[in-house]
Amino acid sequence: MHIVSLAGGIGGARFLRGLRAADPAATITVIGNTGDDITLFGLRVCPDLDTVMYTLGDGIDEEQGWGRAKESHVVKEELAAYGVEPQWFGLGDRDLATHIVRSQMLEAGYPLSQITEALTTRWQPGVRLLPMSDDRCETHVVIEDEHGRRAVHFQEWWVRLRASVPAQSFALVGVDTARPAPGVLEAIEEADVVILPPSNPVVSIGTILQVPGIRDALLPKTVVGVSPIIGGAPVRGMADACLTAIGVKTTAQAVLELYGSDLIDGWLVAEEDARVALDGVRVVARPILMHDVAAAADIARTTLDLAQELAR
Ligand code: GDP
Ligand code: CA
């Protein structure tokens, strides 16, 4: 079986670890969000691709959910000693090596998709990891604070401001001319089922769906999603701040409606959200908290069973 899964960072990566365990024989292609990517200190950082790569490659800081295990921060301290900004973005020493390799390859002219393939040779994630696009395409956030109304990079809003200043809107800069990375449309075309893990519906999954051609390619497919919202709140993180910004309620129902019944065939929600309903969508209520890999695998198995049933 060939499974395609979209993915953001933590929610996506933890789900994928379960998916891999749920069907070890399946071929899994992951289309990763690159809207969070940022250039810092001359280095290209792809937080969501790296979270997926480290999580599936057993190199993740489990507790934090992102970054490397057994990390140190000597370079960050040295940069701070020079007074170099930004100091609000956590870049560990081990993690920096990834960004150095990536930046060097970009400088040499390799596309992000080939670089990601090269990086995953080390991590052996057991899935094929593709960036949504090789074209630079970054999420910016329009905010209004003491400096007036302005757009900041998504990471500045998310990490430095902790989403405490309301977002007025999001702009995916560069999306108009972005093309899906090589292999993305082909993988979707060949997929038996497509899974939307419980990633941020606005700035992870929503971003990938905005790349011209991806959403259209998904429409004829059997697509099953897992709600990132349980009982009116995100399981972790600040997805509510993103949903509010685009005028969508923080509920499993509203996220399903945001994706739409043209895209979604099956929707997995928590038991307390069992009343969620939308014409044309099969809603299944089950525990969807990924406490550990076994729990994530149970959730993944349910999505696969549902997808296979709906695909028939
Ligand atoms: P990010 O890029 O690191 O922010 O991660 P993602 O976009 O992949 O995922 C963030 C989303 O995952 C948040 O909206 C969370 O609500 C959701 N999430 C995290 N852990 C769980 C979980 O155990 N179960 C479910 N259903 N959602 C989760
Ligand atoms: Ca992210």
Side-chain angles (χ1 to χ4, degrees), residues 82-129:
Y82 283 111
V84 181
E85 295 290 341
Q87 294 180 18
W88 45 262
F89 200 86
L91 284 179
D93 300 326
R94 291 175 189 278
D95 193 27
L96 275 164
T98 304
H99 313 318
I100 291 171
V101 175
R102 177 184 293 122
S103 304
Q104 218 170 15
M105 290 186 74
L106 280 170
E107 186 63 30
Y110 288 96
L112 184 61
S113 50
Q114 284 183 29
I115 298 168
T116 306
E117 194 183 337
L119 291 169
T120 53
T121 306
R122 170 181 175 193
W123 293 101
Q124 294 291 312
V127 301
R128 181 168 179 226
L129 178 60

Side-chain angles (χ1 to χ4, degrees), residues 261-292:
S261 60
D262 53 342
L263 176 67
I264 302 280
D265 301 292
W267 187 235
L268 201 59
V269 297
E271 284 151 311
E272 60 226 82
D273 294 314
R275 280 165 51 196
V276 169
L278 189 64
D279 271 353
V281 178
R282 178 95 63 86
V283 177
V284 170
R286 287 283 168 79
I288 55 167
L289 261 181
M290 301 183 284
H291 322 278
D292 51 27

Side-chain angles (χ1 to χ4, degrees), residues 176-285:
D176 298 341
T177 53
R179 289 149 304 166
V184 165
L185 296 181
E186 293 80 352
I188 295 172
E189 172 81 23
E190 289 163 13
D192 296 306
V193 299
V194 175
I195 308 290
L196 305 189
S199 280
N200 189 307
V202 184
V203 295
S204 292
I205 303 294
T207 303
I208 301 169
L209 293 175
Q210 278 183 66
V211 175
I214 293 189
R215 190 186 165 97
D216 284 346
L218 292 173
L219 291 181
K221 293 290 167 176
T222 302
V223 180
V224 172
V226 181
S227 176
I229 307 298
I230 299 183
V235 177
R236 55 181 287 163
M238 307 166 287
D240 48 333
C242 303
L243 287 163
T244 303
I246 61 164
V248 174
K249 282 196 204 147
T250 303
T251 62
Q253 176 76 39
V255 173
L256 171 58
E257 288 170 10
L258 171 68
Y259 287 150
S261 60
D262 53 342
L263 176 67
I264 302 280
D265 301 292
W267 187 235
L268 201 59
V269 297
E271 284 151 311
E272 60 226 82
D273 294 314
R275 280 165 51 196
V276 169
L278 189 64
D279 271 353
V281 178
R282 178 95 63 86
V283 177
V284 170

Side-chain angles (χ1 to χ4, degrees), residues 8-9 33 36 48 154 204:
N33 172 40
D36 296 12
D48 285 358
F154 172 73
S204 292

